[in-house]
C-alpha cells in the first residue's frame, strides 16, 4: 500500500507517473515536523537494514552514515563523501514491519541514517514543500516493486548496447578511432561501441564535429557501421557563448537559457569557455535542446552519453570576478602574502560552488525558480530532453542514451554510468554495491568505467573489473586523458582479454532476456541476497555478492593478488567458471561457506538450485551472435524462459 503526503507547495518533478491521491492520514512509522523546514524521524531496531539511495557511496545497507542528495561533480569517490552525481531519494527499512520512503524533493536533502544517533533515521531539508510517499508491504523486495510501478517503466536500450564499448578521453581524430577498431578486430576482441569524448567536437561546442579531423563525418559513421561499430558521442550541458554558433544564437534569441535575477543569461565557464545552460525545466526550451540531437542522428549516430549535467561549473562570471577582486586585495596587502593556503582555498572554491545555485533561475510556467530549489533535476531533464526528442526524430528505433547526473524519473529516458571513478580495487566493490541500489530506483541500464577513469590502472585490475563488467548492462572501458592507456591491446597476453569479453557475448542472450523481464515487469535485475533469501540469517550480511536475474549469483574477485575468494551460498548451487580454452567448468557446491579459486582469465558465476541459463558461442559483435549455437548450463532438469525481440523496435508502453 502506498500513501502520499503533501507539504506546502511541492515542485512537480514528474518522478511519479501513477496518480495517487494525497491523504490526510497520520504518517506511519515516524514523526514529521515542518517547523524550520521539513524532517521525518523514525527509530531503528538493532538488526534493521536500510536499502536504497541509488548511486551513492558505502554499502548496500546504508545504515550508519550521512548521505546528502545534492548532485555533485566530484570525481574522488571515497567513503568520506556525502554526495555523488545523482539524487535518488528512496529508501527501504527492512525490519519486523518493513516500509519504504520516497521524498520527492528536488533540492538539497539530508539522509542521516544512524549517523548522529545509531538507532535513528532523520531525513531533512530546509524547505517544507515536497511530497512524501510511504510504502508498506510484505517484504523489502515487495516494497521496491510497488515503488517501481508508480515511477514508470525503465528505459529500454537497443540490443547492440549490451555489447562491449571502448572509450578514452583523448581520441580526437578519425585515425584515432580507426586505430582502436583495427586493434580490436585484428586481435578478435569483441566490440560494438566506440565512445567519442569531448575532443570530437569543434571547440567543445555541442552538436558540432571538428571538420578538420572529420571532414565527412557521415561517411565516417557509415564506415564504422560497416565494421559493426556504433559511434557514441558525448553531449555536455553547457552551450558555448559564441557569435555565429547556431545553437547559441537560437537559444539566446528565444530566451531558452537559464537567467540571472535581472533577466540576463547566466554565464559559467566549462570546457568551451563561457557557456549558457539550456533551461531544460522549461518545456519549450527542453524540446528545443532535444531537437538539436537530430544534427548527429541525421549523420547516422544512434547513441549518446550526456555529461557535465549536475550541472558542473568550473566557475561562474560572478565567482570569477569575486576571486579576481580578492587576489587584487590580497596582493595589495603585504601582510597577507604568506597566507598562501587562504588564497588556494579561495581559488579552489570556484568550481561547483553552491553559491552559484542562487545566481541563476529557471522559467517554469512563467515563474522564475532559483536553481538551488531544483538543482537535482537538471541532469534528469537534460536527458529527458533527448529521450522525448528521439520519440519524434526516430520513432521506429531505439537510441542508446545514458547520463552522468540523474534524479528518479530520468530512468524512463536513459541509463547512467556511475561517473569519474578511479583505478582503485575498492571501486570494483563500490561498483558492485551500487547495482541493486540503482535498480531499486528504476535505473537498469547501468555500469561503471571499467578499469577506472582516473589514475593509472594495472592489468590485473582491469581483468578483475571486467569479470564484474561482464554482467552489467552497460559495459565500457573508459579512462582519462592523463592516465595510462588501458585499451586491452596495451597489455601482455591479449588473449585473456579476448576471452573475458567473449564471455560477455556468450551471455548476452541471458543478460538481455533478464534485463527485458526486469524492465517490463518493474523488477530488479540485481538484488541483494537478502531479497531472495529473506529467512536466511546470514544473507543480509553479504555485501560482496549479488543475485542477478532469477537464475544466478555473481561474486567477483576485487582484491589485489588474490587467487580466489570466499563465498556464501544460501542454498546448493553450481559453481561455473568460463575457462580461457573456451570450455565451461561446473561443480556443485553445498549450502554454506566456500573458498573458490578463480584465475585472472576466468569468469565465475553461480547457478541457483533447479535453474539453468542459456549460453552461445562468442562473437565479435552483437549482430554476429549465432543463436543456433545456444546451449543450457546448470541443472539438467531445469528450463529457461528466453525473452527475445529484434533489439531495435521500441516496446509499446
Amino acid at each position: 500500500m502506498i500513501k502520499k503526503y503533501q507539504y506546502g507547495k511541492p515542485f512537480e518533478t514528474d518522478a511519479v507517473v501513477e496518480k495517487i491521491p494525497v491523504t490526510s492520514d497520520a504518517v506511519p512509522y515516524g514523526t514529521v515536523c515542518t517547523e524550520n523546514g521539513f524532517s521525518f524521524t523514525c527509530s531503528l531496531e538493532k538488526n534493521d537494514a536500510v536499502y536504497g539511495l541509488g548511486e551513492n557511496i558505502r554499502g548496500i545497507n546504508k545504515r550508519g552514515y550521512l548521505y546528502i542528495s545534492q548532485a555533485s561533480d566530484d570525481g574522488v569517490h571515497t567513503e568520506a563523501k556525502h554526495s555523488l552525481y545523482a539524487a535518488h531519494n528512496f529508501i527501504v527499512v527492512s525490519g519486523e514491519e518493513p516500509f519504504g520512503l520516497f521524498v520527492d524533493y528536488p533540492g538539497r536533502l539530508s539522509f542521516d541514517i544512524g549517523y548522529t544517533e545509531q538507532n535513528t533515521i532523520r531525513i531533512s531539508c530546509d524547505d517544507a514543500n515536497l511530497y512524501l510517499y510511504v510504502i508498506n508491504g510484505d517484504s523489502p523486495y515487495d516494497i521496491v516493486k510497488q515503488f517501481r510501478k508508480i515511477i514508470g517503466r525503465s528505459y529500454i536500450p537497443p540490443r547492440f548496447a549490451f555489447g562491449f564499448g571502448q572509450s578514452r578521453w583523448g581520441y580526437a581524430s578519425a585515425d584515432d578511432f580507426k586505430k582502436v577498431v583495427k586493434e580490436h578486430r585484428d586481435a578478435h576482441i569483441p566490440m560494438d561501441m566506440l565512445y567519442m569524448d569531448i575532443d570530437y567536437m569543434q571547440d567543445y561546442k555541442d552538436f558540432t564535429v571538428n571538420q578538420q579531423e572529420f571532414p565527412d563525418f557521415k561517411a565516417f559513421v557509415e564506415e564504422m557501421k560497416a565494421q559493426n561499430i556504433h559511434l557514441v558521442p558525448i553531449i555536455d550541458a553547457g552551450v558555448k557563448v559564441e557569435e555565429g554558433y547556431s545553437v547559441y544564437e537560437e537559444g539566446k534569441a528565444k530566451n531558452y537559457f537559464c537567467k540571472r535575477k535581472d533577466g540576463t543569461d547566466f554565464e559559467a565557464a566549462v570546457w568551451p569557455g563561457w557557456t549558457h545552460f539550456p533551461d531544460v525545466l522549461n518545456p519549450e526550451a527542453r524540446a528545443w535542446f532535444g531537437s538539436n540531437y537530430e544534427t548527429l542522428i541525421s549523420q547516422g549516430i544512434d547513441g549518446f552519453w550526456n555529461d557535465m549535467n549536475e550541472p558542473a561549473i568550473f566557475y561562474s562570471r560572478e565567482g570569477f570576478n569575486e576571486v579576481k577582486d580578492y587576489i587584487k586585495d590580497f596582493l595589495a596587502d603585504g601582510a597577507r602574502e604568506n597566507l598562501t593556503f587562504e588564497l588556494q582555498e579561495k581559488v579552489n572554491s570556484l568550481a561547483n560552488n553552491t553559491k552559484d545555485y542562487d545566481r541563476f533561475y529557471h522559467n517554469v510556467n512563467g515563474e522564475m525558480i532559483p536553481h538551488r530549489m531544483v538543482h537535482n533535476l537538471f541532469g534528469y531533464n537534460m536527458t529527458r530532453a533527448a529521450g522525448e526528442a528521439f520519440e519524434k526524430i526516430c520513432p521506429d528505433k531505439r537510441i542508446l542514451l545514458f547520463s552522468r547526473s540523474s534524479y528518479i524519473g530520468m530512468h524512463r529516458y536513459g541509463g547512467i554510468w556511475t561517473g569519474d571513478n578511479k583505478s582503485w580495487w575498492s571501486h570494483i566493490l563500490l561498483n558492485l554495491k551500487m547495482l541493486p541500489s540503482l535498480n531499486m530506483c528504476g535505473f537498469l541500464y547501468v555500469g561503471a568505467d571499467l578499469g577506472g577513469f582516473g589514475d593509472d590502472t594495472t592489468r590485473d585490475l582491469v581483468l578483475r573489473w571486467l569479470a564484474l563488467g561482464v554482467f552489467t548492462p552497460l559495459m565500457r572501458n573508459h579512462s582519462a586523458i592523463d592516465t595510462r592507456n588501458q585499451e586491452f591491446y596495451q597489455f601482455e597476453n591479449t588473449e585473456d582479454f579476448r576471452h573475458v569479453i567473449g564471455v560477455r557475448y556468450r551471455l548476452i542472450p541471458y543478460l538481455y532476456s533478464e534485463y527485458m523481464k526486469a524492465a517490463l515487469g518493474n523488477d530488479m535485475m540485481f538484488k541483494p541476497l537478502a531479497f531472495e533469501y529473506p529467512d536466511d540469517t546470514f544473507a543480509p550480511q553479504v555485501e560482496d555478492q549479488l543475485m542477478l536475474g532469477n537464475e544466478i549469483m555473481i561474486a567477483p574477485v576485487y582484491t589485489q593478488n588474490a587467487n580466489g575468494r570466499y563465498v556464501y551460498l544460501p542454498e546448493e548451487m553450481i559453481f561455473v567458471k568460463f575457462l580461457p580454452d573456451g570450455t565451461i567448468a561446473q561443480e556443485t557446491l553445498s549450502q554454506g561457506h566456500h573458498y573458490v579459486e578463480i584465475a585472472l582469465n576466468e569468469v565465475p558465476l553461480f547457478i541457483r538450485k533447479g535453474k539453468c541459463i542459456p549460453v552461445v558461442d562468442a562473437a565479435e559483435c552483437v549482430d554476429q551472435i549465432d543463436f543456433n549455437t545456444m546451449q543450457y548450463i546448470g541443472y539438467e532438469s531445469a528450463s529457461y524462459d528466453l525473452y527475445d525481440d529484434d533489439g531495435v523496435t521500441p516496446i509499446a508502453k
Side-chain angles (χ1 to χ4, degrees), residues 60 211 268 322 364 375 475 484 496 515 578 595 626 644:
I60 296 174
Q211 291 299 308
E322 285 180 3
V364 181
H375 171 70
M475 185 184 189
R484 178 183 186 180
D496 289 341
Y515 183 97
F578 289 83
Y595 182 82
D626 184 356
D644 192 28

Side-chain angles (χ1 to χ4, degrees), residues 44 74 91 95 143 145-146 292 307 406 431 568 596:
L44 293 171
D74 186 339
I91 62 170
I143 289 166
K145 287 193 277 191
Q146 289 186 62
N292 282 282
D307 196 11
S406 60
N431 181 184
Y568 172 68
V596 292

Side-chain angles (χ1 to χ4, degrees), residues 295-365:
T295 302
L296 294 170
I297 291 174
S298 66
Q299 298 180 76
I301 293 297
D302 51 13
F304 298 90
W305 50 306
N306 289 342
D307 196 11
M308 305 295 286
N309 53 359
E310 291 72 35
I313 296 175
F314 293 170
Y315 48 87
S316 66
R317 180 72 73 176
E318 291 86 347
F320 176 78
N321 289 336
E322 285 180 3
V323 171
K324 185 170 65 173
D325 292 341
Y326 176 86
I327 292 174
K328 287 180 181 178
D329 294 341
F330 185 91
L331 295 175
D333 186 351
R336 299 173 66 194
E337 286 188 9
N338 291 327
L339 299 176
T340 54
F341 69 90
E342 184 180 308
L343 176 61
Q344 182 182 32
E345 183 178 348
K346 194 72 175 178
V347 173
N348 289 344
S349 72
L350 277 172
N352 301 308
N353 191 323
T354 56
K355 287 171 62 177
D356 286 328
Y357 301 163
D358 288 312
R359 290 171 171 153
F360 67 102
Y361 292 73
H362 298 270
N363 179 357
V364 181
N365 300 320

Side-chain angles (χ1 to χ4, degrees), residues 476-597:
R476 178 175 80 152
N477 176 345
H478 183 45
S479 54
I481 194 169
D482 56 350
T483 63
R484 178 183 186 180
N485 288 81
Q486 61 188 49
E487 298 91 352
F488 305 141
Y489 49 83
Q490 306 284 356
F491 299 103
E492 60 186 320
N493 300 327
T494 306
E495 64 272 12
D496 289 341
F497 296 94
R498 178 171 60 244
H499 164 64
V500 173
I501 301 298
V503 172
R504 164 58 167 232
Y505 283 73
R506 300 191 70 179
L507 290 170
I508 281 178
Y510 175 71
L511 297 172
Y512 183 76
S513 184
E514 292 305 299
Y515 183 97
M516 294 302 293
K517 291 174 189 176
L520 297 175
N522 296 313
D523 205 342
M524 299 170 67
M525 187 172 177
F526 296 96
K527 290 163 277 193
L529 268 62
F531 277 33
E532 289 287 1
Y533 301 96
D535 298 325
D536 188 301
T537 57
F538 193 77
Q541 305 299 313
V542 179
E543 292 242 334
D544 58 355
Q545 303 168 207
L546 294 177
M547 309 308 298
L548 191 168
N550 296 303
E551 288 77 24
I552 71 174
M553 182 180 76
I554 59 173
V557 177
Y558 53 89
T559 306
Q560 187 175 3
N561 299 318
N563 295 321
R565 57 161 292 169
Y566 285 95
V567 295
Y568 172 68
L569 307 187
E571 63 177 332
E572 175 189 291
M573 294 184 183
I574 293 179
F575 175 42
V576 174
K577 288 197 293 186
F578 289 83
L579 304 177
D581 63 0
T583 60
I584 302 173
Q586 301 185 60
E587 177 187 0
T588 301
L589 300 178
S590 61
Q591 184 273 339
H593 297 270
H594 299 268
Y595 182 82
V596 292
E597 293 188 353

